[in-house]
């Protein structure tokens, strides 16, 4: 029976046409060993969703089955593949077609074999039954009440081409209990003829044919057939499933619109794109989620084949083309975990984490058992032994669950994406704004004595927030005094324990599903390589990862409840995302919304229901320079996804779980933005004005920049830069354009400096007028006679900036900190202090956004914000480490060279 798809808040009586379907079918008659009669009533099998499936996880449950027991007859808590000590386990397969043979079921003993031969064929060569990804077969136990359940991953043709499951090729789920029987005539008493009614060997202590061991542990001694699964297969229950269309089903549709960026939006984008390409008037959308948002923003601004740049953060540079931000949807950043009680073999589903605990995992702060490491000496072995974690996560005695023991930090360090993304900026901004986490990152031990790994402290490390995760500690065990020299790999053990992925969030998710951590084995193989760790089996897992909530919901992952500024622990849900959005101020310079981390007295700081890693997603939408055909395509895409695309559902064109539909105000903003796209009227983000041409005229289509000349000081009002960023910034628009005039309205950026790619720093500028300050670093609209802005952070500001031609020196911003900050990186706050904007300075809700004159804050980082070409990166490595540095990635020497290169590159990025 299907659950009706719900409608987002504010869309009135709009109803959904389809429902997510569950199906229940009859199962086999229960086997009753030792009883008369030996079979009872039929059981049943239920699959939670059977239609419009994507690559996701569904629930498979059963009842009326024979309870699983160990060899002593006691209830079995869990079971592993090929186990001989658990009787009556249940296997679950995804199979080709609606009436599958054993050769159609992925990961079965004979998948990929000859279907005409069935069980009368020998064992298949290694790898034949898992040609695509590791098997998604699940093996589970049945409880004492005859019921059981398992989370089961279904895969489309994209992940499993050999199964070929798509919108036109239905597949099935096969639930296969093993009730014993002698499929192989193991004692040769019947001339090799199987007999599934022969149960003498079910638990004879040798073959145990009612265990999973029989499936791969033995063959028919007479015929050589690999038939161990035959008797279990006779008990199967099959449920048909069908998959939703994907962009692959659209055929050769021209790319009317090209979009890039924001992999956090991938789930929604795939459904939206499919709905549009299957429409009666199809629209082709080419979407690339890779490369990261900094690159997507610049590709859009440069006009290099990208019509829409998807982003969660505003671009802070002087725009190179006119555009506005169109809100698309809201999602969350999820800290997901797959942790099992290894004694009970049961998954633990609830966890609380605060910012300091997340910081510990992301800074290699835990130590390895048996090794003395100076960088983390005295710290716990992993998060499960961390006293702070134990205090927050006391499992109720009634649950019977226990946190697993520590095997070493590498088993629990989170799987994360290591390329530059807005996800990383927002996550590390949340950490940086938390007072306890900030003090910890600055070197203050937690109340139980755990200290941050010093390789992640300023000035060795640039400090949070950052836009990409990089392993910073490549050290290892110290040489014990008076002892024989320790192995070289132990001296660099931490080089191998954690390796952020350089691919995609999909790879992060894939590794989590497969039970694979990012660690490499420290001890090298004979050929000098360092292979990865073996996959953690079901029932023994202790995995963490950071993904978007859309992927987390699709795969049924456990999401940690994170502590917000009101002190509450909140998990991502539509309600908690909405509560967060309702507290978000608007940046008047851009029109986008971000949570105002560290803003004392803000609505967010008081909202206990708000999820702290809530992210609104936007499309940078061009308002000039489009052809009539391109304009129509862009407007149609935006119009579709911001109206019917806001209906929750699993069908093409709908908004999947893990996302929050636009609020009333956001929909109004979206419609206004689409109007500017259609009009091609040269509108700029928020209250920004077009750049001034060198001759003094505005040119919306080809924005210019302030030309060289005198310096323009800060104009009236607060520049209030984000902590560690520029005061005033460099002039993006020049002054009014008249020769010899002073920079009176835009000689320097009036947005209070740019916060790098995130701008979550503090604001402490003063003004005699009024100022509206948002999380983007303090966008300031001032009164008529405000004073010059000051930075209240620990890092010094850059005074003045480039003004218009012939301009005179204006008022100069002052510094209240130390060294000049890094350009092109997220804002850094003072060590040990949280971002604390002046109370009352946050902008109001979206509907009340002030309309104030202003100019876009320039982006002083320029190309440093981009992912540089490989040649430049290689050049930096060669410069620092020599040619060998490019070839020693898996060695200690390579790690040292790479670390030196990272330090050099950080210094380059920090240049003003």
């Amino acid at each position: 029976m299907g659950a009706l798809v719900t409608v987002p808040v504010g869309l009135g009586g709009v109803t959904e046409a389809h429902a997510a379907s569950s199906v229940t079918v009859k199962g086999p008659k229960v086997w009753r060993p030792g009883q008369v009669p030996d079979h009872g009533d039929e059981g049943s099998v239920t699959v939670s969703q059977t239609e419009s499936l994507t690559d996701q996880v569904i629930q498979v449950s059963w009842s009326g089955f024979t309870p699983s027991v160990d060899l002593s007859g006691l209830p079995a808590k869990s079971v592993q593949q090929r186990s001989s000590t658990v009787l009556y386990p249940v296997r679950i397969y995804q199979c080709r077609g609606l009436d599958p043979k054993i050769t159609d079921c992925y990961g079965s003993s004979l998948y990929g074999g000859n279907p005409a031969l069935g069980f009368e064929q020998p064992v298949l060569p290694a790898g034949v039954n898992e040609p695509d990804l590791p098997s998604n077969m699940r093996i589970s136990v049945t409880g004492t009440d005859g019921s059981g359940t398992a989370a089961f991953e279904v895969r489309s043709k994209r992940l499993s081409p050999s199964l070929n499951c798509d919108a036109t090729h239905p597949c099935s789920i096969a639930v296969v209990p093993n009730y014993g029987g002698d499929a192989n005539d193991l004692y040769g008493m019947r001339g090799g003829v199987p007999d599934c009614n022969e149960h003498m060997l079910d638990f004879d202590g040798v073959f145990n044919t009612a265990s999973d061991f029989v499936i791969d542990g033995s063959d028919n001694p007479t015929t050589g057939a690999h038939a161990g699964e035959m008797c279990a297969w006779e008990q199967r229950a099959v449920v048909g499933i069908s998959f939703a269309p994907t962009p692959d089903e659209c055929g050769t549709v021209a790319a009317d619109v090209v979009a890039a960026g924001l992999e956090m939006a991938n789930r929604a984008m795939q459904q939206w794109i499919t709905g549009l390409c299957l429409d009666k008037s199809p629209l082709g959308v080419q979407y690339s989620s890779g490369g990261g948002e900094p690159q997507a923003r610049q590709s859009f601004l440069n006009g290099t084949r990208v019509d829409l740049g998807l982003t969660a953060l505003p671009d802070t540079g002087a725009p190179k083309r006119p555009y506005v931000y169109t809100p698309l949807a809201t999602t969350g950043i999820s800290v997901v975990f797959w942790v099992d009680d290894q004694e009970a073999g049961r998954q633990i589903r609830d966890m609380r984490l605060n910012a300091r605990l997340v910081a510990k995992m992301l800074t290699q702060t835990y130590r390895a058992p048996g090794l003395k490491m100076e960088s983390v000496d005295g710290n716990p072995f992993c998060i499960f032994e961390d006293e702070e974690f134990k205090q927050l996560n006391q499992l109720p005695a009634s649950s019977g669950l226990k946190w697993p023991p520590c095997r070493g930090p590498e088993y629990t360090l989170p799987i994360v994406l290591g390329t530059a993304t807005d996800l990383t900026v927002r996550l590390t901004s949340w950490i940086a704004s938390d007072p306890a986490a900030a003090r910890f990152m600055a070197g203050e031990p937690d109340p139980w004595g755990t200290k941050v790994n010093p390789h992640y402290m300023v000035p060795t490390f640039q400090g949070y927030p950052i836009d990409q995760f990089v392993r910073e500690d490549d050290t290892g065990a110290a040489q014990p005094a008076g002892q024989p020299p320790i192995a070289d790999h132990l001296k660099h053990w931490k080089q191998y324990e954690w390796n952020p992925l350089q691919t995609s969030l999909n790879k992060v998710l894939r590794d989590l599903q497969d039970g694979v951590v990012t660690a490499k084995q420290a001890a090298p193989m004979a050929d000098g390589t360092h292979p990865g760790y073996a996959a953690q089996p079901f029932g023994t897992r202790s995995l963490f990862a950071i993904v978007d909530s859309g992927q987390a919901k699709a795969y049924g992952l456990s999401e940690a409840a994170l502590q917000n500024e009101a002190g509450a622990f909140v998990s991502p849900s539509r309600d908690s995302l909405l509560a967060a959005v309702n507290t978000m101020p608007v940046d008047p310079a851009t029109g986008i919304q971000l949570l105002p981390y560290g803003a004392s007295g803000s609505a967010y700081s008081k909202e206990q229901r708000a999820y702290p890693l809530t992210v609104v997603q936007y499309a940078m939408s061009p308002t000039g320079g489009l052809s009539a055909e391109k304009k129509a395509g862009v407007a149609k895409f935006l119009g579709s996804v911001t109206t019917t695309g806001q209906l929750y559902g699993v069908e093409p064109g709908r908004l999947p779980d893990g996302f929050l539909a636009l609020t009333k105000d956001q929909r109004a903003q979206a419609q206004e933005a689409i109007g500017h796209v259609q009009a091609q009227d040269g509108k700029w983000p928020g209250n920004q004005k077009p750049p001034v041409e060198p001759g003094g005229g505005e040119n919306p289509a080809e924005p210019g920049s302030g030309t060289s000349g005198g310096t323009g000081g800060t104009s009236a009002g607060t520049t209030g830069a984000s902590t560690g960023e520029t005061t005033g910034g460099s002039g993006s628009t020049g002054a009014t354009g008249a020769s010899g005039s002073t920079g009176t309205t835009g000689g320097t950026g009036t947005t209070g400096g740019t916060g790098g790619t995130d701008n979550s720093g503090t604001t402490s500028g003063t003004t005699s007028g009024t100022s509206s300050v948002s999380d983007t670093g303090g966008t300031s609209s001032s009164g008529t006679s405000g004073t010059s802005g000051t930075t209240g952070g620990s890092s010094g500001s850059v005074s003045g900036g480039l003004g218009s031609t012939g301009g005179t020196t204006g008022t100069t911003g002052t510094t209240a900190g130390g060294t000049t900050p890094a350009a092109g990186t997220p804002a850094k706050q003072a060590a040990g202090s949280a971002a604390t904007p002046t109370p009352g300075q946050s902008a109001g809700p979206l509907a009340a956004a002030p309309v104030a004159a202003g100019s876009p804050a320039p982006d002083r980082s320029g190309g440093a914000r981009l992912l540089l070409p490989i040649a430049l990166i290689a050049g930096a490595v060669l410069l620092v480490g020599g040619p060998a540095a490019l070839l020693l990635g898996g060695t200690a020497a390579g790690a040292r060279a790479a670390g030196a290169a990272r330090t050099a590159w950080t210094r380059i990025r920090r240049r003003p």
Side-chain angles (χ1 to χ4, degrees):
M1 186 174 173
L4 288 178
V5 179
T6 55
V7 178
V9 175
L11 285 186
V14 180
T15 56
E16 177 59 53
H18 297 88
S21 59
S22 64
V23 168
T24 299
V25 300
K26 292 181 178 180
K29 291 184 176 181
V30 64
W31 167 243
R32 306 195 306 174
Q35 299 185 46
V36 179
D38 53 15
H39 284 85
D41 296 335
E42 292 176 329
S44 64
V45 170
T46 299
V47 176
S48 63
Q49 181 184 340
T50 60
E51 298 176 356
S52 296
L53 294 169
T54 59
D55 296 318
Q56 65 179 88
V57 165
I58 58 177
Q59 293 296 317
V60 178
S61 57
W62 56 93
S63 62
F65 279 35
T66 302
S68 304
V69 296
D70 62 20
L71 296 181
S72 300
L74 298 175
K77 298 178 179 179
S78 63
V79 61
Q80 299 296 325
Q81 187 175 353
R82 299 182 181 87
S83 168
S84 64
T85 60
V86 174
L87 307 179
Y88 317 123
V90 177
R91 280 192 172 207
I92 308 167
Y93 295 113
Q94 181 180 347
C95 310
R96 285 187 293 250
L98 298 175
D99 185 19
K101 299 179 173 59
I102 189 63
T103 52
D104 293 318
C105 296
Y106 196 89
S108 72
S109 58
L110 292 173
Y111 179 70
N114 187 338
L117 295 178
F119 288 99
E120 297 301 318
Q121 55 188 311
V123 63
L124 302 175
V128 171
N129 69 338
E130 294 182 6
D132 305 321
L133 294 172
S135 175
N136 58 345
M137 183 274 294
R138 286 295 305 269
I139 184 170
S140 188
V141 295
T142 300
T144 55
D145 62 353
S147 67
T149 186
F152 184 78
E153 180 189 0
V154 291
R155 298 172 180 169
S156 70
K157 181 172 64 176
R158 185 182 69 86
L159 291 182
S160 189
S162 64
L163 277 172
N164 197 37
C165 303
D166 60 20
T168 57
H169 298 88
C171 287
S172 53
I173 302 296
V175 178
V176 186
N178 184 355
Y179 289 168
D182 186 7
N184 280 322
D185 186 22
L186 290 168
Y187 283 108
M189 303 294 291
R190 300 181 299 275
V193 176
D195 185 356
C196 293
N197 293 317
E198 175 55 74
H199 292 279
M200 292 183 63
L201 306 183
D202 284 2
F203 48 98
D204 66 336
V206 179
F207 295 109
N208 293 347
T209 58
S211 73
D212 200 67
F213 174 77
V214 70
I215 293 176
D216 290 307
S218 60
D219 295 334
N220 191 309
T222 303
T223 66
H226 193 59
E229 200 164 3
M230 186 183 72
C231 293
W233 184 251
E234 289 186 356
Q235 308 297 327
R236 69 189 179 279
V238 176
V239 179
I241 58 174
S242 62
F243 282 73
T246 69
D248 294 337
E249 273 78 55
C250 294
T252 55
V253 178
D256 302 302
V257 177
V258 178
L262 209 60
E263 194 175 359
M264 288 189 287
N266 188 49
R267 277 269 163 187
M269 283 293 290
Q270 294 303 319
Q271 290 192 191
W272 288 337
I273 292 170
T274 305
L276 285 163
C277 75
L278 296 178
D279 190 69
K280 294 179 180 179
S281 299
L283 181 75
V285 180
Q286 178 183 324
Y287 171 55
S288 172
S289 61
E293 289 71 57
Q295 176 119 2
R297 287 190 288 268
Q298 291 303 319
S299 294
F300 167 79
L301 292 172
N302 292 335
T304 52
R305 295 185 62 253
V306 174
D307 304 316
L308 294 169
L310 305 192
T311 182
L313 297 173
D315 185 80
T316 54
K320 302 175 183 178
R321 63 189 295 193
Y323 71 94
V324 292
Y325 290 97
T326 306
L328 302 179
T330 296
T331 189
I333 300 168
S334 297
V335 181
V336 298
F337 60 98
W338 192 321
V339 177
D340 297 324
D341 178 336
Q342 298 180 11
E343 293 182 12
R346 293 166 54 198
Q347 190 172 349
I348 301 173
R349 286 288 188 174
D350 296 314
M351 183 183 294
R352 290 181 170 189
L353 296 175
N354 58 25
R356 184 163 56 194
L357 280 169
V358 176
K360 291 174 184 177
M361 290 196 290
L362 293 171
T363 55
Q364 298 180 266
T365 286
Y366 299 113
R367 65 189 175 103
L371 297 176
K372 181 178 177 59
M373 299 182 181
E374 293 181 0
S375 62
V376 292
D377 189 38
N379 286 348
F381 295 132
C382 78
I383 192 170
F384 303 127
E385 291 186 0
D386 191 311
E387 288 298 327
E388 185 168 23
F389 177 86
K390 291 194 287 186
Q391 294 247 346
L392 291 177
N393 294 278
Q394 299 181 33
L395 295 170
S398 59
S399 71
L401 294 172
K402 298 179 182 177
W403 295 108
C406 286
R407 292 176 286 174
E410 69 272 28
Y411 291 95
T412 57
L413 293 182
I415 308 166
V416 298
L417 184 60
T419 57
T421 67
D422 290 354
L423 180 153
T424 302
V425 176
R426 295 308 292 162
L427 174 66
T428 55
S429 296
W430 168 65
I431 294 172
S433 69
D434 181 84
R439 292 193 299 270
F440 177 78
M441 294 286 290
E444 179 182 296
D446 74 6
W448 301 272
T450 300
K451 303 178 294 295
V452 71
N453 186 327
H455 292 270
Y456 291 85
M457 287 176 58
V458 176
T460 303
F461 176 61
Q462 70 182 64
Y464 283 172
I466 56 176
D467 58 7
Q468 61 188 105
F469 290 114
V470 177
R471 184 190 65 249
E472 298 292 339
D473 189 357
D474 291 340
T475 65
Q479 173 63 49
Q483 299 294 321
I486 62 175
D488 186 67
H489 69 268
L490 296 178
K491 299 176 184 178
H492 305 282
W493 192 91
K494 295 190 79 65
Q495 174 183 345
Y496 306 103
E497 73 174 1
W498 188 55
N499 296 279
L501 303 179
Q502 302 300 309
T503 48
S504 67
L505 284 176
N506 277 332
K507 175 61 174 171
V508 173
L509 183 71
R510 181 77 267 138
D511 284 359
L512 180 71
Q513 284 295 115
D514 293 341
V516 178
V517 295
T518 66
K520 305 294 182 183
Q521 295 182 27
M525 306 294 287
D527 61 0
T529 60
H530 297 264
Y533 279 44
Q536 297 180 18
F538 293 113
T540 66
R541 292 186 166 183
S542 55
L543 299 162
F544 291 82
I546 297 172
V547 298
D548 61 276
S549 293
Q551 295 283 37
K553 301 295 186 192
Y555 279 84
L557 299 172
S558 299
E559 299 168 275
L562 303 181
Q563 189 175 32
N564 61 25
E565 291 188 8
F569 289 88
V570 183
S571 300
S573 66
R574 288 179 190 161
D575 288 342
S576 64
L577 296 179
L578 180 61
V581 169
N582 286 339
T583 69
M584 287 183 180
V586 64
D587 177 3
T590 60
I592 78 160
Q593 292 175 283
L594 293 169
L595 281 174
Y597 294 140
S600 177
S602 68
Y604 165 66
S605 69
K606 303 172 185 177
E607 178 54 83
Q608 293 195 342
R609 299 169 299 172
Y611 181 63
L613 291 180
T614 299
V615 177
V616 183
Q617 303 175 331
Y618 294 89
M620 301 170 78
S621 309
T623 58
L626 296 186
S627 66
E629 183 179 9
K630 182 67 71 174
K631 175 184 71 175
V634 171
K636 181 176 180 178
F637 171 80
L638 294 174
S640 174
V641 304
T642 58
T643 54
T644 58
Q646 298 300 301
L647 291 170
Y648 297 121
V650 296
E651 294 85 359
R654 302 307 193 214
L655 188 65
D657 198 10
F659 293 85
L660 174 70
L662 298 176
T663 64
K664 179 181 177 180
D665 288 341
Q666 288 172 333
R667 291 200 304 277
Q669 181 190 10
Q671 293 309 304
E672 181 181 354
I674 294 168
H676 291 303
V677 171
Q678 292 172 324
Q680 290 292 281
D681 55 8
K683 179 71 171 65
W684 297 90
N687 61 21
Q688 297 181 25
K689 291 184 176 181
V692 179
E693 287 188 300
E698 295 180 353
N699 185 356
E702 296 180 0
S705 62
T707 60
S708 62
T711 57
T714 56
S715 61
T718 303
T719 53
S722 299
T723 302
E725 292 298 326
T726 62
T727 301
S730 57
S732 59
T733 65
T736 61
S739 176
S741 64
T742 59
T744 58
T745 61
T748 56
T750 61
T751 60
T754 67
T757 57
D758 176 51
N759 318 322
S760 58
T762 63
T763 301
S764 57
T766 59
T767 178
S768 62
T770 60
S771 74
S772 299
V773 183
S774 76
D775 189 51
T776 61
T779 299
S780 175
S781 57
S782 63
T784 58
S785 59
T787 64
S788 59
T790 62
T791 57
S794 61
S795 295
S797 65
V798 176
S799 303
L802 296 179
S804 61
T805 302
T808 60
T809 302
T811 308
T812 302
T814 61
T815 63
T819 60
T820 300
T825 58
K828 300 194 296 288
Q829 65 185 48
S833 63
T836 311
T838 304
Q841 288 185 317
S842 294
L846 184 61
V851 179
S855 301
D859 189 344
R860 298 171 56 252
S861 63
R865 185 181 300 282
L866 297 175
L867 297 174
L868 290 183
I870 296 299
L872 291 181
I873 297 174
V877 176
L878 285 168
L879 176 66
V880 177
L886 292 178
L887 305 174
L888 299 174
T891 67
R896 289 190 292 272
R902 285 198 299 271
T903 301
W905 175 233
T906 299
R907 291 171 180 169
I908 291 171
R909 295 177 74 190
R910 290 180 178 179
R911 291 177 181 170

